[in-house]
Amino acid sequence: MGDGRAGARGRPAEARAGVLGGAVARPVFIPAPVWPGALLGRLRDRLWADIRAEAASGRLVLWLPVGFGCGILLYFGAAEEPSLAAVLGLASGLAVASVCARARPVAFALLLWLTAVGCGFALATAHTAWIAHPVLLPPQTPVRLSGFVEQVERRAKADRILLRVTTAEGKGLAVKPQLVRLSVARGSAPAAGTPVSVLARLLPPMEAALPGGYDFGRNIWFRGIDAVGFGLGRPRIIALAEPAPFSVRVGRLVDEVRQAVGARIRAVLSGTAADIAVALVVGDRASISPQVEESMRVSGLTHVLSISGLHMAMVAGTLFFLVRGGLAAFPPLALGFPIKSLAAATALAGSGVYLLLSGNDWPAQRSFWMLAIVLVGVIAGRAALTLRTVAVAAVLVLALGPESLLEPGTQMSFAATLALVAAYEQWTGLRTRPAAGPLVLRALARMGLFVAALSMTSVVAGAATAPYAALHFQRLGIMGLLSNLAAMPAVEFLVMPFGLLGVLLLPFGWDFIAWPVMGLGIDIMVKVSDVVAALPGADMRTDWVGAGTAAFATLALLALCLLRGLLRLAAVPCVVAALLLLGAPPRPDVLIAANGQTVAVRGGDGRLSIAGARSSRLVAEQWLSKEADPRTAEVPDLAQGFACDARRCMAPLPDGTKIVLVRKAEALPAACGEASLVVTAEVASTENISACAARLFTPQDMSRTGTLALFHRPRQAAGEPGTPHRVAGVPQPAKGDAAPAAVELPQAASGNSVQATAAPELRPETPSETDASSSEVRPASAQAEPDGPPPATRPRRMAADHRASLWRDQQARWAKAREIRAARNGGTRSGMRPMSSAPPIPPVADAGALRPANVEEEPTVGRQTSIAPSAHPHRPTDTAPRQSARSAMTQAPSQAQIRRTFAVHWRTVPTRPAGVQRPWMPMLPDLPMPVVDTETAGRRSEDDAQEEP
């Protein structure tokens, strides 16, 4: 063992050769007796030798971008915005410490990596401070916006414009927005650079659709957009006194060129071929049908439709080989000028033009900067495809946009690039091995090598991006290898080269000879996509990959690509950990959208039933996609678990109670007495909130939490096993009492009826939540029990005590309701009896499983008591004299008490956790509690909501 260390330390020549890029000699195993101790010692020596070889070769610098990215992730994980001075001081201190520790290799390496982490954290903080702008809280009324159209996107359902605002007029608009993104009717968007005036409705700031989901509002904020909304009518062209900004003038020029190129393509091609050709050349995907996009997505070819690294590489490669080949045809130029550098410079300029022509989206910008690093290396005479190039490109891209690290496209792009370059370095010898023999054999060898390289590219890139595709999109492209092998030759040899040729020939009027060849390649690609997408198992969806699995998969990928020798074995425990963490995550039983108009409840089949999906189409589809559910918001039976009318929607909950989504304000009081959970989109008054006996979710609550995910706690964790729970304040039948019959609740004029059946025996509260005095009031079955019951009967005693306490609370709420009605009617109603004459605990209809009228009832236990359909299940037939409001409020449980009881049996996970506030999150004021006014509530229509980004 000592000889091994001495040999590892005594090779300065090999270490210098590694620093200069040469090969570093590695120790060789010498045959020896295989003893466990000797084997472990030799393995340890080999690992230390590999570590020293990595350090001597300078490959540890490849881990600095990893530290840089970790610093960015730490920044976005903070609950509050960090102090810029503090993080700059931390990064500077780490840099100084690294310089001072140069004489200590291990300390120097660790401090250098920590410096990279600090630099990433500091750069992300500085970037946020540089682009900081307020998050606009939209007014309740429409606003009139005037300004210049900076960018136009023509989409399938609506056009989208980016408006550079000059004036904004509207009631309640506190701050004038600078940049607003609006959705307008399809075909009504004017050209870029046009001064317009439009009446628009601004939407609330967008956030994640569910806890842990993608934050749409963060992406919009980092792009400098102050607000999003939709136009009420067509934009009206006006004349503005001030000149258009420079960005608007550039956008107008680029838009005119894009429109002209798109028109020339459509003059030659038609149908799907024209739509995809326009998307690949000018980045306009509005005309591609949803069926074609879904087919490409299922078959694993959707990356062809998005302008990214594939297209940039093909454009740059085509230009590079055309220019270099053309210059090489003239010996004086080939011998007197660096034609390789000239070709690389031409390819770089052409890629920049293609970036502007394709719409200048962020994925295209990211690919351009990565390609620019490679081409600059070629111009400088350095090797083009190396891991160092990937490292420099990663740092540059993340420095330009730190927020892009959270984008799925960035993660998948870097994973695929890293894996492909690492594989390229490993198989360089096979690629450069000369072929010998006859011409036919050499041609076949070249063809086989091309197929092998294409297969390797598909397998490596697919394996590297699979964890991120499953994490963000819940899809696995298992047929990607087959579709890419069949379609990519057409894309590489027909689609992209002839598309580039058509653009080059367009100024001379000869572009018509290139578009048909490009259309032929597109037809081949679409045919392959349709055939592969129709294969069984092509559309594989899974939600088994979580953040932990993706993190360990990333570590395994880094170990395999950045390390050499036995050090690559570090990927094995990472892969094992990723496999162990595979599995479906905990799924919420209830999801409530932030607008209060969309609610999802998990049914008995394990799938979500969503009411109000059209009000938040994007949110509903995010919920379904997160669970690998192929349904969309337009599915007719998406709300099959709800029974709805014009005023409300009702659905059963796992604990035997039900949830009500209130659509009309007048249905709120009745809903509070029928369900344990009530959701309303109307702003509730203080009076209605205090009188509600259910857990009420109002816009005041949702504006601070965002979308809520509710998880029902196991019954054994909160009380007696096997009995469901009701929120405190709802009366429950005594054990042994008659189970109520099914009741038909009164519905709206639509004629639909809803039935409520009795749930099984209800589980009591915990002893700490039971009033001590409640033991004096018991039903007959409970009073017959002797004092000091054995442990087996204590749950029954607790249940009886709790039911008595709930009944007193319910009586207090009835008194409060009578007080409110009497105050509104100017006096008491006749025919009332004293409250003291009410029975101790009558059998009442429990809020059991709610179902449509055509669904068969579940059998109930015990005898049934008939209840009139028009009678409220929680209200006596006649009421007591009026009590004072103060007395009723003292006896009735408050919303705070109901929330505490609710928290015992339900776990609530908000999209925006309490105490988290970042610059891209809206600063919400303390909202008042205005009385519900259905005339001025300012709700969005279903069609308008579909135009949300």
Side-chain angles (χ1 to χ4, degrees):
M1 289 186 290
D3 296 340
R5 293 194 191 97
R9 289 194 298 265
R11 286 192 299 271
E14 287 98 342
R16 287 195 297 270
V19 173
L20 297 176
V24 177
R26 294 180 179 274
V28 181
F29 278 104
I30 301 175
V34 183
W35 298 99
L39 183 60
L40 291 177
R42 292 164 58 196
L43 181 61
R44 183 181 59 187
D45 292 341
R46 176 64 183 271
L47 289 175
W48 275 108
D50 287 342
I51 291 175
R52 290 190 176 92
E54 289 290 296
S57 62
R59 289 178 64 91
L60 294 183
V61 73
L62 300 177
W63 291 90
L64 295 182
V66 179
F68 192 77
C70 290
I72 295 175
L73 292 178
L74 289 175
Y75 165 78
F76 283 104
E80 297 286 343
E81 188 64 16
S83 170
L84 181 58
V87 296
L88 289 177
L90 176 62
S92 302
L94 290 172
V96 172
S98 300
V99 173
C100 296
R102 287 180 299 173
R104 300 175 178 271
V106 177
F108 175 69
L110 292 177
L111 287 173
L112 192 62
W113 192 82
L114 291 176
T115 301
V117 175
C119 289
F121 198 102
L123 185 102
T125 307
H127 180 74
T128 302
W130 174 261
I131 66 172
H133 58 92
V135 179
L136 181 66
L137 294 178
Q140 294 294 325
T141 57
V143 297
R144 171 68 63 177
L145 301 176
S146 301
F148 295 93
V149 177
E150 188 168 299
Q151 188 178 356
V152 179
E153 296 180 57
R154 292 170 176 83
R155 304 167 65 87
K157 292 186 176 181
D159 293 344
R160 182 182 289 173
I161 62 174
L162 195 62
L163 187 66
R164 181 67 63 177
V165 179
T166 57
T167 59
E169 301 174 357
K171 183 179 179 181
L173 189 63
V175 180
K176 181 180 79 70
Q178 300 296 324
L179 200 61
V180 177
R181 191 175 69 183
L182 298 175
S183 295
V184 296
R186 185 178 182 183
S188 64
T194 306
V196 298
S197 176
V198 58
L199 184 66
R201 178 67 182 276
L202 301 182
L203 301 177
M206 299 187 65
E207 295 187 83
L210 70 167
Y214 179 77
D215 192 346
F216 296 92
R218 181 186 60 229
N219 182 33
I220 292 174
W221 187 85
F222 274 102
R223 292 178 57 186
I225 299 176
D226 297 309
V228 296
F230 53 89
L232 303 176
R234 302 173 67 91
R236 180 165 50 90
I237 299 177
I238 61 175
L240 294 177
E242 58 185 282
F246 176 76
S247 60
V248 173
R249 296 197 298 269
V250 173
R252 176 171 54 194
L253 178 62
V254 173
D255 187 68
E256 291 175 355
V257 175
R258 295 177 65 194
Q259 295 298 322
V261 175
R264 294 292 290 269
I265 294 175
R266 295 188 183 279
V268 179
L269 301 178
S270 61
T272 302
D275 298 336
I276 296 180
V278 171
L280 295 178
V281 176
V282 300
D284 185 2
R285 299 175 56 177
S287 301
I288 301 179
S289 65
Q291 294 78 13
V292 173
E293 287 199 349
E294 182 63 18
S295 174
M296 301 283 285
R297 188 178 298 113
V298 172
S299 62
L301 292 175
T302 187
H303 60 91
V304 178
L305 299 180
S306 177
I307 306 298
S308 58
L310 171 69
H311 308 80
M312 287 290 175
M314 289 184 178
V315 169
T318 303
L319 287 175
F320 180 83
F321 288 111
L322 286 178
V323 174
R324 189 179 184 186
L327 294 178
F330 300 94
L333 295 177
L335 297 175
F337 296 93
I339 61 174
K340 184 177 180 180
S341 299
L342 292 176
T346 304
L348 181 60
S351 301
V353 173
Y354 182 55
L355 173 65
L356 296 176
L357 189 63
S358 61
N360 197 25
D361 291 333
W362 172 245
Q365 295 181 33
R366 179 184 65 242
S367 303
F368 171 77
W369 289 116
M370 295 177 67
L371 180 66
I373 295 294
V374 175
L375 293 177
V376 169
V378 174
I379 294 174
R382 302 293 299 271
L385 297 178
T386 64
L387 291 177
R388 292 175 183 268
T389 304
V390 177
V392 174
V395 173
L396 177 62
V397 170
L398 295 180
L400 292 174
E403 73 281 359
S404 64
L405 184 59
L406 305 178
E407 299 290 330
T410 303
Q411 299 172 11
M412 298 176 70
S413 176
F414 277 122
T417 303
L418 177 63
L420 289 174
V421 173
Y424 172 84
E425 286 188 346
Q426 292 295 321
W427 292 317
T428 301
L430 177 63
R431 184 185 65 86
T432 58
R433 184 175 301 164
L439 178 62
V440 177
L441 294 180
R442 290 202 302 268
L444 292 177
R446 294 283 183 180
M447 186 178 300
L449 188 60
F450 171 77
V451 174
L454 188 61
S455 303
M456 182 201 72
T457 302
S458 300
V459 171
V460 171
T465 58
Y468 309 100
L471 173 66
H472 297 291
F473 309 112
Q474 292 73 47
R475 288 177 181 262
L476 288 178
I478 58 177
M479 297 296 179
L481 174 61
L482 179 61
S483 58
N484 280 275
L485 283 177
M488 290 311 294
V491 175
E492 293 181 358
F493 295 108
L494 297 179
V495 177
M496 294 306 298
F498 281 89
L500 176 62
L501 182 61
V503 174
L504 295 177
L505 294 178
L506 190 145
F508 308 100
W510 281 87
D511 56 302
F512 66 91
I513 65 175
W515 305 129
V517 183
M518 183 182 184
L520 175 62
I522 292 174
D523 291 336
I524 296 174
M525 180 184 67
V526 173
K527 183 63 176 178
V528 171
S529 173
D530 293 339
V531 172
V532 174
L535 295 177
D539 188 12
M540 183 176 181
R541 299 172 183 258
T542 180
D543 61 346
W544 279 34
V545 178
T549 301
F552 279 107
T554 302
L555 292 177
L557 178 65
L558 292 173
L560 288 173
C561 296
L562 302 184
L563 297 177
R564 295 185 296 182
L566 289 183
L567 296 179
R568 285 179 175 167
L569 294 178
V572 175
C574 297
V575 172
V576 173
L579 293 177
L580 291 177
L581 290 176
L582 281 176
R587 295 181 174 179
D589 297 290
V590 179
L591 286 167
I592 305 174
N595 62 358
Q597 299 177 353
T598 306
V599 173
V601 176
R602 193 168 305 282
D605 58 354
R607 300 201 304 173
L608 291 177
S609 294
I610 305 179
R614 287 178 57 86
S615 299
S616 303
R617 178 178 55 84
L618 177 64
V619 172
E621 292 185 350
Q622 287 288 314
W623 291 351
L624 296 172
S625 175
K626 193 65 176 178
E627 299 192 354
D629 194 329
R631 295 178 297 170
T632 63
E634 286 78 16
V635 174
D637 60 344
L638 190 60
Q640 61 180 357
F642 285 83
C644 299
D645 58 21
R647 300 184 305 153
R648 59 185 175 177
C649 285
M650 314 170 86
L653 293 174
D655 60 354
T657 60
K658 60 177 178 281
I659 183 173
V660 176
L661 172 61
V662 177
R663 291 178 168 177
K664 300 291 184 181
E666 59 268 17
L668 181 59
C672 288
E674 296 165 354
S676 60
L677 271 72
V678 177
V679 182
T680 175
E682 305 289 348
V683 179
S685 63
T686 305
E687 182 180 89
N688 288 338
I689 293 177
S690 302
C692 188
R695 176 63 173 95
L696 181 63
F697 294 96
T698 65
Q700 295 97 312
D701 301 323
M702 307 302 294
S703 64
R704 294 172 174 82
T705 62
T707 300
L708 285 175
L710 307 182
F711 297 83
H712 182 244
R713 300 182 187 274
R715 296 173 180 175
Q716 291 79 1
E720 183 181 357
T723 56
H725 167 72
R726 287 284 315 253
V727 175
V730 181
Q732 307 178 38
K735 196 169 185 177
D737 287 348
V743 296
E744 185 173 316
L745 302 179
Q747 299 296 313
S750 59
N752 297 334
S753 62
V754 180
Q755 289 185 346
T757 59
E761 181 193 355
L762 305 179
R763 177 168 48 78
E765 296 281 341
T766 57
S768 61
E769 297 171 353
T770 307
D771 190 356
S773 63
S774 63
S775 59
E776 302 175 2
V777 182
R778 303 174 188 169
S781 60
Q783 293 175 357
E785 298 178 1
D787 295 335
T793 61
R794 287 176 185 170
R796 297 182 58 193
R797 172 74 58 86
M798 292 166 54
D801 296 345
H802 179 62
R803 284 192 293 270
S805 175
L806 294 182
W807 178 243
R808 287 195 303 273
D809 293 340
Q810 185 64 32
Q811 287 179 320
R813 278 190 296 276
W814 287 340
K816 173 66 176 176
R818 288 192 295 271
E819 173 72 18
I820 296 174
R821 286 196 300 270
R824 290 177 178 175
N825 298 332
T828 59
R829 298 174 58 182
S830 59
M832 296 183 180
R833 66 178 184 181
M835 190 171 63
S836 59
S837 63
I841 299 183
V844 295
D846 180 53
L850 188 68
R851 57 182 61 82
N854 58 352
V855 178
E856 184 179 356
E857 269 185 61
E858 297 181 1
T860 56
V861 181
R863 64 183 181 86
Q864 298 183 350
T865 304
S866 176
I867 298 180
S870 60
H872 193 286
H874 299 149
R875 187 181 301 147
T877 53
D878 41 3
T879 55
R882 181 175 59 174
Q883 296 182 352
S884 65
R886 182 180 299 275
S887 175
M889 288 294 294
T890 303
Q891 299 181 28
S894 64
Q895 271 294 309
Q897 295 172 332
I898 294 176
R899 289 171 187 246
R900 287 194 296 269
T901 306
F902 177 84
V904 174
H905 302 277
W906 289 86
R907 181 168 63 93
T908 304
V909 180
T911 299
R912 185 195 301 176
V916 176
Q917 184 62 53
R918 303 306 298 274
W920 52 88
M921 297 179 179
M923 293 289 293
L924 297 174
D926 293 332
L927 299 179
M929 300 286 191
V931 179
V932 174
D933 186 357
T934 57
E935 298 297 330
T936 61
R939 301 171 58 187
R940 298 196 307 253
S941 66
E942 295 177 348
D943 295 335
D944 294 333
Q946 289 201 17
E947 303 306 329
E948 291 185 11

